[in-house]
Amino acid sequence: MVFTDEVQASQQDSRFDLLAYLAERQTLVEAALDRSLPVIYPQKIYEAMRYSLLAGGKRLRPILCLATSELAGGTLEMAMPTACALEMIHTMSLIHDDLPAMDNDDYRRGKLTNHKVFGEDIAILAGDGLLAYAFEHVAVESKQVPADRLLRIVAILGRAVGAAGLVGGQVVDLESEGKTDVSLETLNFIHNHKTAALLEASVISGAILAGAAECDVQRLSRYAKNIGLAFQIVDDILDITATQEELGKTAGKDLQAQKATYPSIWGLEESRHQAQSLIKDAKAELAEFGAPARPLMAIADFITARSH
Ligand code: GRG
C-alpha cells in the first residue's frame, strides 16, 4: 500500500516528512512480518495465514507501536515482535470480519478475501492460527525487555482482542444490524471497542515496552482513544465518498446494509468536523513530549487526510 497525496497535504503543517517516515517503517514491518511466519507442514494453513498477513495494508498499528517505543526511549528491536503481533491480531480480525457469517465481503486490501481463496473452514483456522501465534511471537521473540513489561503486554493484547475489546464491539455491531434507532452511545461503544481498542493497545504497548512513566502512558492512551474514534469516523465517511479501488474493499457497504454510521447520524459535514475535533484533542495530549512526538502528531493529521 503506497501513501500518496493526502500524506503530502497532511505533512505540510507539521514540517515532518511523514511520507518518508511511513515508507521506511512499512518496509521494516513488512520484512519482520515476512520473517515471522515461514511456511512449514501443514503448508495450507501457513499459506492462508501469510496470504492475509502479507497482503499489504497501511501497517498503522505496528507503526504506532514502534513510534511510541522510540518516543519513550526504546529501540525498534525491542518493540518489533509486539508490533508484528498487533498486525497479526488486526489481520485475523479482518479475516473473520469478512466471513459470510459476519460482513460477507469478497475483497480486502485489494485482493480476494481469505475465505474466497482458501474456503471458509481454512479462513476461520487461519484467523485462529494468527491470533494464537501473535501471543507466542511476543513471548518468544521479544529481546531486551524485562519479563514484567512483557506480561503487561500480553494482558493488554488479550484485553484489546476479547469481549472487552474487538469481540465485544463486533457483538454489539451484529446486534445493531438492521436497526434504525441505533443511538450515538451504542455507535460509540461499537467503535471504541472494534477500532479504538486495538489502536490504543498499539500506542501504549510501545511505551510500556520502553518503560515509559505511567503518566505518559495515560497521556498516550488518551491520544490513542481520540485518534481511534476519529479513524472510524473517517472510515465511515470514506465508505460513502471513496471508490472500491481506493479502499481495496467493496465501497458503499454501510449504505447497502443500512448500517448506522457517523454520517447517518450526523451527516458528512458534521462527521468531518467531529473527526477534526478529536484529532485536535489527540494532538493536545502530545504537547508535553515536544519534538520527539512529531511522528505521532503527523500520524494524527494523516488520519483525517487519508483517502483509504
Ligand atoms: C478478535 C477474536 C477476534 C475475532 C474477531 C470480526 C471481529 C472479531 C471484529 C471486527 C474487527 C474489525 C474488522 C474492525 C474494523 C477495524 C478497521 C477500521 C479496519 C480497517 O483498518 P485499516 O484501515 O486497514 O488500518 P489496513 O488494511 O490498512 O490494515
Side-chain angles (χ1 to χ4, degrees):
M1 181 78 57
V2 177
F3 294 97
T4 48
D5 297 352
E6 73 265 21
V7 178
Q8 270 150 355
S10 75
Q11 75 194 26
Q12 273 168 7
D13 291 341
S14 53
R15 273 169 276 131
F16 170 78
D17 192 351
L18 182 64
L19 188 64
Y21 178 84
L22 292 175
E24 189 233 346
R25 292 303 149 101
Q26 271 189 342
T27 305
L28 289 176
V29 170
E30 294 295 337
L33 287 171
D34 193 12
R35 280 194 306 271
S36 74
L37 193 63
V39 176
I40 53 171
Y41 180 80
Q43 279 87 350
K44 189 188 237 180
I45 190 64
Y46 288 97
E47 278 160 9
M49 289 159 75
R50 283 178 64 88
Y51 174 81
S52 293
L53 187 64
L54 302 176
K58 294 180 282 299
R59 308 311 194 191
L60 186 57
R61 292 148 191 86
I63 290 173
L64 282 169
C65 173
L66 298 175
T68 51
S69 172
E70 283 193 301
L71 173 64
T75 62
L76 293 180
E77 195 193 8
M78 66 202 281
M80 191 58 92
T82 300
C84 288
L86 286 156
E87 190 64 27
M88 290 172 196
I89 291 170
H90 171 55
T91 301
M92 78 73 53
S93 79
L94 300 179
I95 295 173
H96 282 196
D97 192 54
D98 291 334
L99 286 167
M102 304 257 185
D103 264 10
N104 193 18
D105 256 305
D106 292 350
Y107 291 95
R108 173 70 71 175
R109 293 174 163 173
K111 295 173 74 173
L112 284 172
T113 43
N114 199 289
H115 65 272
K116 282 276 158 193
V117 177
F118 296 94
E120 267 183 70
D121 45 5
I122 295 296
I124 292 168
L125 292 168
D128 294 345
L130 282 170
L131 180 56
Y133 193 57
F135 287 90
E136 180 185 341
H137 192 68
V138 170
V140 173
E141 297 300 328
S142 298
K143 306 279 186 277
Q144 295 151 12
V145 182
D148 60 330
R149 290 186 203 162
L150 282 182
L151 204 56
R152 229 179 130 187
I153 297 301
V154 167
I156 285 168
L157 294 181
R159 190 172 170 81
V161 169
L166 270 75
V167 167
Q170 181 77 349
V171 167
V172 179
D173 196 9
L174 291 172
E175 278 176 358
S176 305
E177 249 174 50
K179 290 191 182 158
T180 50
D181 57 349
V182 177
S183 66
L184 183 58
E185 197 187 3
T186 301
L187 199 59
N188 283 340
F189 180 95
I190 293 169
H191 298 305
N192 280 328
H193 291 76
K194 267 187 76 167
T195 302
L198 195 59
L199 288 169
E200 190 203 356
S202 307
V203 167
I204 64 171
S205 61
I208 289 168
L209 285 165
E214 202 47 43
C215 58
D216 288 339
V217 173
Q218 290 312 317
R219 270 195 198 104
L220 289 167
S221 163
R222 290 191 294 272
Y223 160 85
K225 284 179 172 145
N226 282 315
I227 64 164
L229 207 51
F231 188 88
Q232 185 59 49
I233 296 172
V234 172
D235 225 55
D236 285 359
I237 294 171
L238 290 175
D239 187 72
I240 298 170
T241 59
T243 63
Q244 172 160 343
E245 287 68 39
E246 283 171 315
L247 294 178
K249 60 178 184 179
T250 317
K253 270 292 282 227
D254 296 340
L255 270 180
Q256 205 185 328
Q258 293 182 308
K259 257 183 136 168
T261 62
Y262 289 102
S264 77
I265 291 184
W266 287 328
L268 277 174
E269 199 179 326
E270 178 60 15
S271 299
R272 286 195 187 100
H273 173 75
Q274 293 281 347
Q276 290 291 358
S277 165
L278 286 163
I279 293 301
K280 189 163 163 257
D281 292 348
K283 287 167 70 179
E285 296 292 346
L286 300 177
E288 295 280 320
F289 297 109
R294 273 189 180 161
L296 294 182
M297 288 273 189
I299 289 171
D301 282 330
F302 162 69
I303 282 172
T304 43
R306 71 197 174 100
S307 66
H308 60 269

